[in-house]
Amino acid sequence: MKDDGPAPDAEVPRAKRPQRADGHGPVAYVLGGGGVRGAVEVGMLEALLEAGITPDLVVGSSIGAINGAIVAADPSLAVVDRLIKAWTSPQARAVYGDGWRRQLRRLASSGTHLNSPDPLRELLEEALGTDVTFEDLAVPFRVVAANVERAAEHWFTSGPVIPAVLASASVPGLLPPTNIDGEHFIDGGIVNSIPIEAAVQAGARTIYVLQVGRVEEELSSPENPLETFRVAFEIARRHRFSRDMRLLPEDVVLHMLPSGGAIEGDEKLNAYRDMTRTRRRIERAYAATRQYLRAL
């Protein structure tokens, strides 16, 4: 099922990050977007589940939709092994791992994208099963994607899970838009990279935000074309997050989990292709999140 989402405000202040320790339920995991940096969410999930903090709701965008679907299917510590297997699988390496010659041939033939969606679909089917629905999952799960025809965010909350997750993870230019019921969907991070408001609207009163580290990094005025592209994209990604933080209700407890910090080279344009540092990302995020939770 597809639902229209709320429109963002025009004015957005700098994000505030309340980290209150007087948590109360229902509990939501909000998993944000961020490509290969999304491996940090696996470490965060391990620390949360190890501490006995399980979700009543999971909300995901882009790479967070992939991780979120898997944890919503099995919100127990056992899911960590399944996530690590998915992240280190041949399919994960193949999602963006084509050689540039093959990518250029695919772009020439498709006119829209460099990579095939088949490896990602195979990864999801292996982790979840081929016919899994939202109704089959252990806890409620919500996925956001950008609807092309309506130029708006849309939410998937029922029916087949894998097409919805593919829609949310369809990075423009890298993967083709996902066609669902005659409409086309692209990356959820374009419209709602860290969808806090959706968790609030669903009734969550304790929210754990699993983010890839970008909101921890300061932005500065760009000095070259590559920096201009990166900063512009970050502003586009963060403005909705900033609004959601500003409008966070007083009775909602929000925990912004630490990513463990960026790894050298994350700022490079082709960093999305590098899967070699996956375990390091997971371990750093696990250690940082465990320390954060113990300090509560």
Side-chain angles (χ1 to χ4, degrees), residues 27-31 41-55 71 75-77 80 206-210 255 257 285-286 289-290 292-293 296:
V27 173
Y29 290 174
V30 173
L31 295 93
E41 295 175 352
V42 179
M44 295 172 180
L45 288 167
E46 182 177 9
L48 284 168
L49 294 168
E50 188 177 75
I53 302 170
T54 57
V71 76
S76 72
L77 193 57
V80 174
T206 299
I207 298 175
Y208 291 89
V209 176
L210 290 76
H255 299 283
L257 300 183
Y286 167 74
T289 300
R290 183 178 63 174
Y292 171 84
L293 295 174
L296 292 180

Side-chain angles (χ1 to χ4, degrees), residues 133-163:
T133 67
F134 283 83
E135 293 77 11
D136 294 328
L137 301 176
V139 296
F141 179 46
R142 300 187 174 200
V143 176
V144 64
N147 181 291
V148 173
E149 285 81 5
R150 301 185 190 184
E153 79 177 50
H154 279 262
W155 286 91
F156 297 88
T157 59
S158 64
V161 169
I162 290 178

Side-chain angles (χ1 to χ4, degrees), residues 20-24 205-208 248-249 251-255:
R20 295 166 287 184
D22 55 343
H24 52 291
R205 285 301 173 265
T206 299
I207 298 175
Y208 291 89
L248 192 71
D251 64 336
V252 172
V253 177
L254 185 142
H255 299 283

Side-chain angles (χ1 to χ4, degrees), residues 10-237:
E11 296 182 4
V12 181
R14 180 173 175 160
K16 296 175 287 186
R17 290 187 244 171
Q19 295 184 347
R20 295 166 287 184
D22 55 343
H24 52 291
V27 173
Y29 290 174
V30 173
L31 295 93
V36 295
R37 293 177 69 167
V40 302
E41 295 175 352
V42 179
M44 295 172 180
L45 288 167
E46 182 177 9
L48 284 168
L49 294 168
E50 188 177 75
I53 302 170
T54 57
D56 301 299
L57 168 71
V58 177
V59 182
S61 177
S62 194
I63 192 66
I66 298 171
N67 292 330
I70 297 172
V71 76
D74 179 14
S76 72
L77 193 57
V79 80
V80 174
D81 287 339
R82 189 187 305 182
L83 283 162
I84 292 174
K85 180 180 178 182
W87 270 92
T88 57
S89 67
Q91 292 91 339
R93 292 192 295 273
V95 171
Y96 302 126
D98 276 347
W100 65 268
R101 293 180 188 274
R102 183 177 294 179
Q103 287 181 316
L104 290 177
R105 286 197 298 268
R106 185 176 290 113
L107 179 61
S109 63
S110 70
T112 59
H113 58 279
L114 292 167
N115 297 289
S116 169
D118 293 341
L120 179 54
R121 182 183 295 276
E122 291 169 7
L123 181 152
L124 291 167
E125 289 177 348
E126 184 170 335
L128 297 169
T130 56
D131 299 316
V132 65
T133 67
F134 283 83
E135 293 77 11
D136 294 328
L137 301 176
V139 296
F141 179 46
R142 300 187 174 200
V143 176
V144 64
N147 181 291
V148 173
E149 285 81 5
R150 301 185 190 184
E153 79 177 50
H154 279 262
W155 286 91
F156 297 88
T157 59
S158 64
V161 169
I162 290 178
V165 174
L166 286 171
S168 187
S170 293
V171 181
L174 298 180
L175 295 172
T178 299
N179 188 328
I180 299 177
D181 297 332
E183 295 184 319
H184 297 85
F185 298 87
I186 58 177
D187 198 300
I190 293 173
V191 288
N192 206 336
S193 186
I194 305 177
I196 295 169
E197 183 183 26
V200 174
Q201 290 181 340
R205 285 301 173 265
T206 299
I207 298 175
Y208 291 89
V209 176
L210 290 76
Q211 49 80 37
V212 304
R214 288 194 173 102
V215 296
E216 300 169 348
E217 300 166 5
E218 296 291 334
L219 293 180
S220 59
S221 181
E223 298 180 353
N224 58 59
L226 179 58
E227 276 295 295
T228 299
F229 172 81
R230 188 185 71 83
V231 169
F233 188 65
E234 279 305 305
I235 292 171
R237 289 168 59 92

